[in-house]
Amino acid sequence: MIKSRVVPCTVAVGLCLFYVWWVYLSKPGDDSVAAQGGGLVPERRYLRREPIDFEPRNMTSKILDDPLDYFMVPVCRKLKPGKVKPQEGEIYDSFATWQTLYQAQVRYNEWCKIACRWVPIQKDFEAWKIALDGEYWSILYLHEVPIVTIANGGTTEKGPYQKGFPLGWKEDDEYYINNHLFLTVEFYHDRMTDLHRVVGVFAKPVSVKHTYNGEWTGIKPRVKTCVAADKLFPSEKSTPQTAGYQEEVIFTYNVDFKS
């Protein structure tokens, strides 16, 4: 078995080593926007339509020092393969147990994707209130490249950038949730190998009270407030989504790729 793996590389060892270097080890060029993440952009390359999961880090506050566990608010998540749901009160590693339901497919634009529908119980609503009172931001990565929001007055090319995106806000004792994300993924395409490298991810969050026809079945669900075929998308003018006990929230997102 070992011999069968080694022989192909011994036939053309130079090509094999070049491929490994090219896909995993080569340094980023000028196409990188590593500045948004505060470091070098990783060198993993992807095939066209290859799925990539968005990975959580934590939640950070603009007014408080202590970060919060991303999964403190149990929304839009699923168990990782081989994991079991923790028991009530059990201490566990949330990042090793859960993953988000947000995903992108390389160079494939997708609009009005439904991440999940969520109806919070009282303790979940209280967790939302803590996060919104503390002005927390959600921190997500796409293969080690952080999602950033462009600060007011900034541009995609020059910034300034803020890592993550705000969960929502509080206004006149009412809580609102940013439940739709416009995500723009910048990539570098190598024409020789037809492989792609993620070099930047930008987010624009919006709050929208989604509506739909009939009962929610969860089977190919559709909302009337985000229709890809008609290019009908949420905006700042949409009726915002309030947060409350047992108040239904539908989380959606758009993904656009840009070279």
Side-chain angles (χ1 to χ4, degrees):
M1 184 60 117
I2 296 177
K3 183 177 179 181
S4 66
R5 293 180 180 176
V6 173
V7 168
C9 264
T10 60
V11 174
V13 65
L15 290 176
C16 288
L17 291 175
F18 174 78
Y19 179 80
V20 171
W21 170 83
W22 187 263
V23 176
Y24 295 104
L25 302 177
S26 60
K27 298 300 182 182
D30 292 338
D31 53 89
S32 168
V33 287
Q36 66 170 306
L40 293 177
V41 174
E43 294 311 308
R44 169 73 189 275
R45 289 169 168 82
Y46 297 91
L47 297 169
R48 192 186 299 257
R49 292 294 296 269
E50 184 173 351
I52 317 175
D53 291 325
F54 286 87
E55 301 173 349
R57 288 299 186 271
N58 52 25
M59 294 189 291
T60 59
S61 171
K62 299 302 177 183
I63 60 175
L64 302 175
D65 295 330
D66 295 333
L68 294 177
D69 187 331
Y70 178 90
F71 292 110
M72 183 189 80
V73 180
V75 59
C76 292
R77 68 181 187 179
K78 65 179 180 180
L79 288 168
K80 288 187 174 181
K83 297 296 182 179
V84 296
K85 186 176 181 180
Q87 298 296 318
E88 186 73 25
E90 178 183 350
I91 298 176
Y92 67 98
D93 184 347
S94 64
F95 295 111
T97 305
W98 302 100
Q99 65 187 58
T100 75
L101 296 177
Y102 292 92
Q103 187 183 80
Q105 298 184 64
V106 175
R107 289 193 71 175
Y108 183 61
N109 296 339
E110 297 178 276
W111 301 337
C112 301
K113 294 187 67 176
I114 294 177
C116 71
R117 171 182 177 268
W118 185 58
V119 181
I121 59 177
Q122 187 61 40
K123 69 174 184 178
D124 294 341
F125 174 55
E126 293 300 324
W128 263 114
K129 289 171 61 178
I130 291 173
L132 295 176
D133 281 334
E135 298 182 18
Y136 276 86
W137 284 44
S138 179
I139 309 298
L140 285 174
Y141 280 64
L142 188 64
H143 182 66
E144 301 302 328
V145 179
I147 289 179
V148 299
T149 302
I150 302 171
N152 291 335
T155 64
T156 302
E157 293 76 17
K158 298 182 179 180
Y161 311 112
Q162 296 179 318
K163 185 180 291 188
F165 57 89
L167 292 173
W169 72 96
K170 180 181 179 182
E171 182 179 336
D172 298 330
D173 296 326
E174 190 75 69
Y175 293 92
Y176 297 91
I177 296 175
N178 286 324
N179 58 319
H180 182 88
L181 288 177
F182 291 94
L183 298 168
T184 301
V185 181
E186 292 194 341
F187 67 94
Y188 169 74
H189 175 219
D190 184 83
R191 297 182 184 277
M192 290 178 58
T193 61
D194 198 28
L195 294 174
H196 307 80
R197 184 172 78 236
V198 177
V199 296
V201 188
F202 302 91
K204 179 183 177 183
V206 174
S207 181
V208 54
K209 177 67 175 177
H210 282 304
T211 59
Y212 51 88
N213 292 321
E215 297 292 326
W216 186 271
T217 64
I219 302 174
K220 294 184 178 180
R222 296 287 186 270
V223 293
K224 298 191 297 181
T225 36
C226 192
V227 183
D230 298 335
K231 294 186 178 180
L232 172 65
F233 305 131
S235 70
E236 288 82 358
K237 296 181 180 180
S238 300
T239 301
Q241 174 65 60
T242 55
Y245 169 59
Q246 291 190 337
E247 183 166 350
E248 176 188 65
V249 184
I250 298 172
F251 290 84
T252 55
Y253 62 110
N254 287 21
V255 181
D256 285 280
F257 281 82
K258 176 182 176 184
S259 61

